[in-house]
Amino acid sequence: MKLKMLPYIMCLLMHCNIAFLEAQNSDSKISSDSIRKVLKESSDSFSKLTSDGNKEGVYFLELAESLAENSPDLYIKMLVKRKKIDFFLNSRDTIKIEGYLADYLKIIEQVGDKRELGLYYEALGVHKSVQGKKEEGYQAYIIGEQLLREYGKDRDVIDINYNLSLEYIRLQRWDEAIEHALRSLEAVEKTKQKEDRRRNLYLFLIECYINLEEFDKVEYYFSEIEKEVSVYFNELYFEGKLFSQKGSYYEKIGDYKKSSYYYNQSSKKFLEYYFQRTKEVSTDLALSNQLNLKEEENKRIKIENELKAEQLRNSRYIILLSILVIVGLVLMSILQYRASFYKTKINKLLKRNYKKLIKANKKVDKALKAKSEFLDSVTHELLTPLNTIKGITFLLQKEKLTSHQENQIKLINLSSDYLLSLITDVIQLNDLEKGESKLRKEEFDLRVLLNNLIDSSLIMNINNNKVHREIDSQIPSKIKGDVLKTSQIFLNILDNALKFTKDGDVYIDVLLVSVIDHKVKIKFSIRDTGIGMSKRQIRKAFEAFHQGSVKINRKYGGTGLGLSIVKRILRLQENDIVLESKPGKGTSVSFMIDFDIPKLAQGKNAIPKNNFEEFSQEINVLLVEDNKVNQLITEKIISNYGFYCDSANDGKEAVDMVKKNRYSMVLMDIMMPKMDGFEATKYIKRFDKGIPVVALTAISEKMNKDKFNEVGIFTVLPKPVDPELLYKTIMSCCDSDD
């Protein structure tokens, strides 16, 4: 009963208010303040965002208009006209707004107020844009902005610059769009009004800077938006636009994986948004149907009861019922059409985003293929001259040198080793990213390995650090795992601790965690007292080529690939790394690795130790190398070991020489003119299947493993060649040949 009385009470209060204001109006004593109060009531009612609130808002707005007609205050008349114009703009009533704009302009011309003229052109620009007359709207915005910038208040420039920025983005005039977006943003910050505009302005700036390729500013405004995540959280449409811009940004910088991810997230957000809208429409439709059906049922019962009393009266109710049913059906049809429209729009959006996703994936695949081919080519070109440098230094070390020359040779060796390490790291990182790196199972003694690695690192320790090691004695003496990758992980972290610590301490703890079913879990911890890292540096520590800052890179050197490789190797083993650090207080790194425990001790197959003089007289090697310098150096290395060596300049010449002469083995370069190493090996194997062919190349063995196996390559030696490894390989080939 109370709820039924509420509308009547509201109507009574509203009529009392009208009577009071009309009484004032009749005495010609309507004050401007009272009209402003009515306008405030109207604004408060509209802000409720309910049906009753809208009705109240319209009522008070019309009341303010009627009161303002008799007011001598031209400014209050302009204020009312402006409110009416805003109302018609929001309701998209393009017919009535024309008359109000004309009346508003007449009053402005009487007053001569430049600020009001600027507000008029702003409203005119919005009206023309809604009508689809973009050019006229744009011209109106330009005039309005100039007037409001000179004569308006700080809050007046927020919307006009917002709309201008949006217009320039449509025209792809990025610099002007940035200028107006920044003006609008500055006004928001200064006035603390319309702060909901801020995040959209950030998106405008992000789109402009992406197209201008000013990516540092793009990242800045992305971070500014992230600060307001609590404000726009679950605003699906805004999040969809945000992820779309992130996808565009990562596409621009070439990170197609992230681009594809964010385009996908954008599609999901838009899908959720339109699904939510469709669900709301469906809910409203169902509720409306229920209410209509209930109402119709009540009316039907009422009509049936009244039919018994009066036949003529009932006929009118039947007609009314028919009209209501028709209206209900029309409303249902409209709602169904809207629901169908939203579904169609969602499907189109999904198809469009799906095509973008496919296109982005193709670009990623193409980029990865190009990257692999590029690495093959570049590593070959880098490792070929590096082979020359390493070979020359090896030969020079065999000669009598002065102490000064020995130091220079050591410097050359150190530099070439550093360059070789960098190239190897880049190739390995690429293999890990593509998932082509595989784990090996080798039997070894972990305690001996770690002690050797620590001792070798201490030899290179130039920072006067003390190393404290604790290796659990309970760790089995023989375990099985990937020795090379375990060494890489441990050395990368230990070398970082020694490099970034000076006159300090490095603590190494290796602990046996568990032994279950012939498997052992071991925890490695390396802690130092060095320079430490900030939270931001920790977040970026595992990114490739990142070392915290340019200053750190210049002071300590390095490529920034170590931790990135460590992270990926541990993921390959289904393990992770924990990094804790504070600036000035050192860094702690810990990780776990699982190893197998061999059931039975297995002997190692060592290369047979044959008498050097006995074999050297019998071994004749054919070297196939198109680079004359590398050919000369490799010949000298082979000759220094007492072997015979002939040389061929390309694959075709090598095939002819193998046909004419008998060789113990062939050292085959792969990338050569006329006929490459793969093709030459195929021809050689046709008429001499037993001759061992060893690839001497700079291209990746893992990436070309199938090709090596297909043509029958015995093994692969990387460039630059290690003389000792070359010797062992020659002996191994000749021994297997025997």
Side-chain angles (χ1 to χ4, degrees):
M1 187 67 183
K2 290 181 179 179
L3 291 173
K4 291 182 178 179
M5 290 295 293
L6 185 59
Y8 297 102
I9 294 170
M10 288 181 63
C11 289
L12 180 61
L13 291 173
M14 288 167 61
H15 283 296
C16 290
N17 194 17
I18 294 168
F20 173 75
L21 292 172
E22 287 179 346
Q24 284 188 331
N25 190 21
S26 64
D27 295 333
S28 300
K29 294 180 180 178
I30 300 297
S31 68
S32 299
D33 289 338
S34 62
I35 297 174
R36 286 192 175 89
K37 287 180 182 178
V38 176
L39 288 173
K40 187 175 184 307
E41 288 289 337
S42 176
S43 298
D44 293 342
S45 299
F46 281 129
S47 66
K48 294 176 184 176
L49 300 176
T50 62
S51 177
D52 290 335
N54 286 337
K55 291 177 182 178
E56 290 178 25
V58 172
Y59 167 77
F60 284 117
L61 189 57
E62 290 177 350
L63 176 60
E65 185 178 21
S66 66
L67 295 174
E69 287 177 359
N70 297 319
S71 174
D73 189 346
L74 293 177
Y75 279 93
I76 200 67
K77 288 185 176 182
M78 286 191 295
L79 179 60
V80 172
K81 295 292 182 187
R82 214 181 326 127
K83 293 293 183 182
K84 290 286 287 188
I85 290 168
D86 290 342
F87 171 75
F88 290 129
L89 286 173
N90 289 330
S91 61
R92 294 291 194 270
D93 192 338
T94 57
I95 298 174
K96 291 182 180 179
I97 198 172
E98 296 281 354
Y100 278 91
L101 283 169
D103 294 339
Y104 185 35
L105 182 59
K106 286 179 183 178
I107 302 172
I108 292 170
E109 288 173 350
Q110 292 178 42
V111 175
D113 191 314
K114 298 292 182 65
R115 173 179 177 262
E116 291 290 341
L117 186 61
L119 294 172
Y120 162 80
Y121 277 109
E122 179 183 0
L124 181 64
V126 176
H127 172 55
K128 294 297 182 183
S129 297
V130 169
Q131 287 183 312
K133 300 175 182 178
K134 299 293 185 182
E135 184 59 30
E136 292 181 29
Y138 166 71
Q139 295 299 331
Y141 284 145
I142 291 293
I143 298 170
E145 195 274 339
Q146 291 173 351
L147 289 168
L148 290 175
R149 195 191 330 158
E150 187 172 355
Y151 302 103
K153 298 178 182 179
D154 290 334
R155 67 172 181 271
D156 295 336
V157 302
I158 295 175
D159 285 340
I160 190 71
N161 281 290
Y162 182 98
N163 290 329
L164 265 175
S165 180
L166 196 59
E167 194 66 20
Y168 281 124
I169 288 173
R170 181 181 67 81
L171 298 171
Q172 296 187 358
R173 291 162 63 176
W174 310 116
D175 290 324
E176 287 121 317
I178 290 169
E179 178 185 354
H180 290 286
L182 290 174
R183 285 180 187 171
S184 181
L185 196 59
E186 182 181 1
V188 171
E189 298 292 345
K190 191 173 182 180
T191 62
K192 301 301 179 183
Q193 295 183 17
K194 300 184 179 180
E195 293 187 320
D196 57 323
R197 296 276 194 275
R198 186 190 292 118
R199 58 179 182 272
N200 285 324
L201 288 166
Y202 287 156
L203 277 183
F204 294 172
L205 291 167
I206 285 168
E207 183 175 354
C208 296
Y209 285 127
I210 287 174
N211 284 280
L212 293 173
E213 297 188 352
E214 295 184 26
F215 299 125
D216 54 338
K217 294 181 179 178
V218 173
E219 291 175 353
Y220 170 76
Y221 284 111
F222 272 138
S223 67
E224 289 298 307
I225 290 178
E226 293 299 327
K227 292 177 183 176
E228 298 187 9
V229 67
S230 60
V231 177
Y232 67 81
F233 182 70
N234 275 342
E235 286 189 18
L236 299 175
Y237 189 77
F238 176 79
E239 289 183 326
K241 292 195 295 182
L242 173 61
F243 288 137
S244 178
Q245 292 298 336
K246 284 191 175 183
S248 178
Y249 164 63
Y250 284 113
E251 184 179 6
K252 274 279 188 181
I253 65 174
D255 193 340
Y256 297 111
K257 286 185 179 179
K258 288 186 177 179
S259 172
S260 176
Y261 169 77
Y262 281 113
Y263 277 136
N264 188 34
Q265 291 298 310
S266 173
S267 177
K268 286 181 180 178
K269 292 297 179 183
F270 281 127
L271 178 61
E272 289 178 28
Y273 171 75
Y274 287 113
F275 176 79
Q276 191 178 77
R277 290 295 303 275
T278 305
K279 189 177 180 182
E280 290 171 1
V281 170
S282 300
T283 304
D284 290 342
L285 179 61
L287 182 59
S288 175
N289 289 341
Q290 289 176 6
L291 292 173
N292 287 337
L293 289 172
K294 189 69 176 177
E295 184 180 355
E296 300 305 327
E297 181 68 16
N298 291 335
K299 288 181 179 180
R300 186 183 63 80
I301 294 170
K302 186 177 180 181
I303 290 169
E304 287 178 354
N305 292 332
E306 290 182 356
L307 273 171
K308 297 175 183 179
E310 192 172 358
Q311 188 69 34
L312 293 173
R313 188 180 172 187
N314 285 344
S315 62
R316 283 180 289 177
Y317 283 106
I318 293 171
I319 295 170
L320 179 61
L321 178 63
S322 300
I323 293 171
L324 289 172
V325 169
I326 292 169
V327 171
L329 290 172
V330 170
L331 288 173
M332 288 175 63
S333 299
I334 293 171
L335 291 172
Q336 288 284 3
Y337 171 76
R338 290 184 65 186
S340 175
F341 174 77
Y342 281 124
K343 287 180 181 178
T344 304
K345 194 172 182 179
I346 289 168
N347 288 333
K348 286 181 180 178
L349 183 63
L350 285 173
K351 286 180 181 178
R352 189 161 59 249
N353 285 335
Y354 181 69
K355 287 179 181 177
K356 287 183 179 179
L357 183 62
I358 291 174
K359 189 176 180 181
N361 284 333
K362 286 181 179 178
K363 286 183 179 179
V364 170
D365 294 338
K366 188 176 180 181
L368 288 173
K369 184 178 179 182
K371 178 183 174 184
S372 299
E373 292 174 355
F374 172 77
L375 278 175
D376 263 347
S377 177
V378 169
T379 50
H380 180 270
E381 294 302 321
L382 288 174
L383 291 175
T384 297
L386 191 59
N387 182 52
T388 303
I389 297 169
K390 293 288 288 182
I392 290 173
T393 53
F394 173 78
L395 294 173
L396 287 174
Q397 286 173 337
K398 299 290 184 180
E399 299 179 5
K400 291 182 179 180
L401 303 171
T402 64
S403 60
H404 178 67
Q405 289 172 330
E406 286 179 355
N407 289 331
Q408 288 181 323
I409 293 298
K410 287 179 181 178
L411 288 174
I412 293 172
N413 255 331
L414 185 64
S415 298
S416 58
D417 287 342
Y418 175 81
L419 182 57
L420 179 60
S421 174
L422 171 60
I423 296 168
T424 304
D425 283 348
V426 171
I427 295 172
Q428 185 180 15
L429 185 63
N430 185 54
D431 290 344
L432 288 167
E433 286 178 346
K434 292 182 66 178
E436 294 183 354
S437 184
K438 295 182 180 178
L439 295 172
R440 296 182 179 180
K441 293 290 184 181
E442 305 164 90
E443 189 176 315
F444 66 100
D445 190 326
L446 180 64
R447 289 196 298 271
V448 172
L449 174 67
L450 294 180
N451 282 316
N452 289 338
L453 292 175
I454 295 168
D455 292 339
S456 64
S457 295
L458 285 174
I459 295 172
M460 303 298 293
N461 179 22
I462 60 173
N463 287 337
N464 195 29
N465 296 313
K466 293 181 181 178
V467 175
H468 311 271
R469 66 184 93 177
E470 287 290 336
I471 302 176
D472 197 337
S473 59
Q474 298 299 315
I475 296 173
S477 59
K478 295 293 181 183
I479 57 176
K480 287 184 74 175
D482 196 315
V483 181
L484 178 60
K485 287 184 171 57
T486 303
S487 303
Q488 280 182 306
I489 296 169
F490 184 80
L491 271 181
N492 270 315
I493 298 172
L494 177 59
D495 288 347
N496 277 347
L498 293 171
K499 180 168 70 172
F500 294 110
T501 305
K502 188 172 183 181
D503 299 323
D505 297 283
V506 176
Y507 300 89
I508 302 169
D509 292 306
V510 183
L511 179 66
L512 176 65
V513 176
S514 63
V515 180
I516 303 173
D517 295 334
H518 298 286
K519 288 189 178 293
V520 60
K521 185 184 287 291
I522 298 174
K523 181 179 181 180
F524 299 78
S525 299
I526 300 176
R527 179 171 59 87
D528 63 65
T529 58
I531 62 174
M533 289 186 283
S534 65
K535 290 182 179 179
R536 181 179 177 277
Q537 289 171 332
I538 291 173
R539 285 197 301 271
K540 293 181 173 288
F542 299 104
E543 294 181 9
F545 302 103
H546 182 81
Q547 281 198 293
S549 69
V550 175
K551 183 178 179 182
I552 291 175
N553 188 49
R554 287 175 179 171
K555 183 175 181 180
Y556 295 96
T559 61
L561 289 174
L563 286 179
S564 180
I565 292 173
V566 166
K567 180 85 170 178
R568 285 168 171 81
I569 294 175
L570 286 171
R571 280 184 179 175
L572 186 65
Q573 299 177 336
E574 297 182 354
N575 289 304
D576 205 351
I577 186 169
V578 178
L579 176 62
E580 297 175 349
S581 184
K582 288 185 178 179
K585 294 186 178 180
T587 302
S588 174
V589 181
S590 61
F591 57 92
M592 291 190 187
I593 301 180
D594 298 319
F595 299 97
D596 293 335
I597 301 175
K599 294 180 181 179
L600 296 172
Q602 298 178 0
K604 295 183 180 178
N605 296 322
I607 296 175
K609 295 182 180 179
N610 297 301
N611 184 275
F612 178 80
E613 291 79 7
E614 184 180 323
F615 269 94
S616 64
Q617 301 300 321
E618 302 172 2
I619 294 174
N620 190 11
V621 179
L622 174 61
L623 172 64
V624 188
E625 172 65 71
D626 64 317
N627 186 292
K628 292 294 184 182
V629 177
N630 283 348
Q631 188 183 103
L632 178 63
I633 293 167
T634 310
E635 279 182 4
K636 287 187 177 181
I637 293 172
I638 294 171
S639 300
N640 275 349
Y641 284 119
F643 305 131
Y644 294 105
C645 181
D646 292 338
S647 295
N649 297 309
D650 55 58
K652 189 175 182 303
E653 187 178 335
V655 172
D656 294 337
M657 291 179 71
V658 172
K659 285 180 179 178
K660 295 176 182 178
N661 306 304
R662 177 170 176 77
Y663 294 101
S664 305
M665 64 172 296
V666 179
L667 280 175
M668 180 74 72
D669 189 16
I670 297 299
M671 297 179 72
M672 294 182 296
K674 295 184 181 180
M675 183 186 290
D676 65 24
F678 291 123
E679 192 176 355
T681 305
K682 279 184 182 178
Y683 279 107
I684 290 172
K685 289 292 184 178
R686 286 179 184 175
F687 55 83
D688 192 346
K689 293 183 179 180
I691 186 170
V693 179
V694 175
L696 185 62
T697 181
I699 68 172
S700 171
E701 178 183 0
K702 293 174 183 176
M703 294 170 66
N704 297 276
K705 187 175 182 180
D706 293 338
K707 287 186 179 180
F708 287 128
N709 292 336
E710 181 184 344
V711 300
I713 298 291
F714 179 78
T715 188
V716 180
L717 292 179
K719 286 184 179 180
V721 65
D722 183 335
E724 292 185 9
L725 181 59
L726 176 61
Y727 168 72
K728 290 179 181 179
T729 303
I730 294 172
M731 295 298 293
S732 176
C733 289
C734 296
D735 180 56
S736 64
D737 185 48
D738 292 342

